[in-house]
Amino acid sequence: MCRQFAEVTELIDRLRQEMRPGERPPPPFVDADPENLTMNRLQELRAHLRHLQSEKDNRIKKMAELTSSLHASSSVLGMDPQEITTSLQEAGAGAGDISDGAIARLESEAERLREAKRGRMQRLQDLVVAMLELWSLMDTPPEEQSRFQGVACNVAASEDEITEPGALSATAIGEVEAEVARLEGLKGRRMKDLLARKRGELREI
């Protein structure tokens, strides 16, 4: 039975260190009171081991979900997911790390990217609304609008619906900004031309 106790406690210690590496380990097995080496105690330790194994499985699942979210957000933002993963590993969140610290770092980075996604989405939607209004005002022909149709479709999309790689990249937003600036410039020139014509008509009266 001593061997069974040793095997179970070794597995428990190993799992504890995987999940909470900074936690002070319990007293070594060799210091255990022989009177405690009963079948009931062994069953208690095995139950605790199963609990830790279940917790480990949940942590692995959570890390996979966070990594998937991080990769999805970075792709939409036009970033390289591998670069972000590498930076996290350099910060201490290595591959296979399921410690509290690794999960916290991944949660923080995933939330940072979600915030960036929401911010860019709002910026893009504001630009698209302005662009659509200017297209209508300036009677912009369909052929000039066509290259922005994909972007325009995102004006009413929710955060989860925008999944296309690069849809919220700095380049994509910059292109819409440039189009809005072009239309604003065209609008300004037309207003000047209209004002000049009106003044000319008034002088002829």
Side-chain angles (χ1 to χ4, degrees):
M1 186 176 290
C2 288
R3 180 179 177 183
Q4 291 175 312
F5 269 88
E7 290 174 349
V8 172
T9 52
E10 181 182 351
L11 289 172
I12 288 173
D13 291 344
R14 190 182 304 164
L15 287 172
R16 281 173 172 164
Q17 285 303 304
E18 283 185 42
M19 294 184 284
R20 303 177 185 88
E23 187 176 80
R24 178 179 295 180
F29 171 75
V30 293
D31 291 339
D33 186 347
E35 293 183 2
N36 289 330
L37 305 185
T38 64
M39 184 57 69
N40 286 339
R41 178 57 178 157
L42 181 59
Q43 292 303 320
E44 289 175 2
L45 289 173
R46 284 175 173 168
H48 184 50
L49 176 60
R50 287 193 295 271
H51 171 75
L52 291 176
Q53 288 171 331
S54 177
E55 182 181 352
K56 178 180 178 178
D57 291 341
N58 290 336
R59 285 172 178 247
I60 291 173
K61 181 180 178 181
K62 184 171 186 177
M63 290 290 283
E65 291 172 349
L66 288 169
T67 300
S68 177
S69 172
L70 187 149
H71 285 186
S73 294
S74 60
S75 176
V76 170
L77 293 169
M79 302 175 180
D80 184 356
Q82 188 56 47
E83 288 185 5
I84 295 175
T85 300
T86 300
S87 67
L88 284 171
Q89 290 175 349
E90 291 173 351
D97 190 348
I98 57 171
S99 66
D100 291 341
I103 291 175
R105 283 188 288 272
L106 202 56
E107 284 178 330
S108 177
E109 184 64 12
E111 180 57 29
R112 184 185 73 81
L113 290 181
R114 282 194 296 268
E115 283 293 332
K117 182 180 178 181
R118 286 190 284 267
R120 289 193 186 184
M121 185 176 71
Q122 184 61 56
R123 173 60 178 158
L124 183 62
Q125 288 175 339
D126 290 343
L127 286 167
V128 169
V129 168
M131 183 174 67
L132 293 174
E133 291 175 350
L134 287 166
W135 277 348
S136 177
L137 180 65
M138 307 305 293
D139 294 322
T140 304
E143 55 269 22
E144 291 185 21
Q145 300 180 24
S146 60
R147 73 187 186 97
F148 292 100
Q149 287 304 317
V151 176
C153 289
N154 289 329
V155 68
S158 67
E159 179 184 349
D160 293 336
E161 290 173 334
I162 300 180
T163 58
E164 182 182 352
L168 297 176
S169 67
T171 299
I173 292 175
E175 289 175 352
V176 181
E177 286 176 333
E179 175 66 1
V180 171
R182 183 187 75 83
L183 292 168
E184 288 284 6
L186 183 59
K187 174 185 173 183
R189 288 192 294 275
R190 287 191 181 181
M191 292 295 290
K192 287 181 180 179
D193 291 343
L194 179 60
L195 183 59
R197 285 199 303 271
K198 290 295 183 181
R199 286 175 177 171
E201 291 172 0
L202 288 173
R203 282 196 294 268
E204 292 175 359
I205 295 176

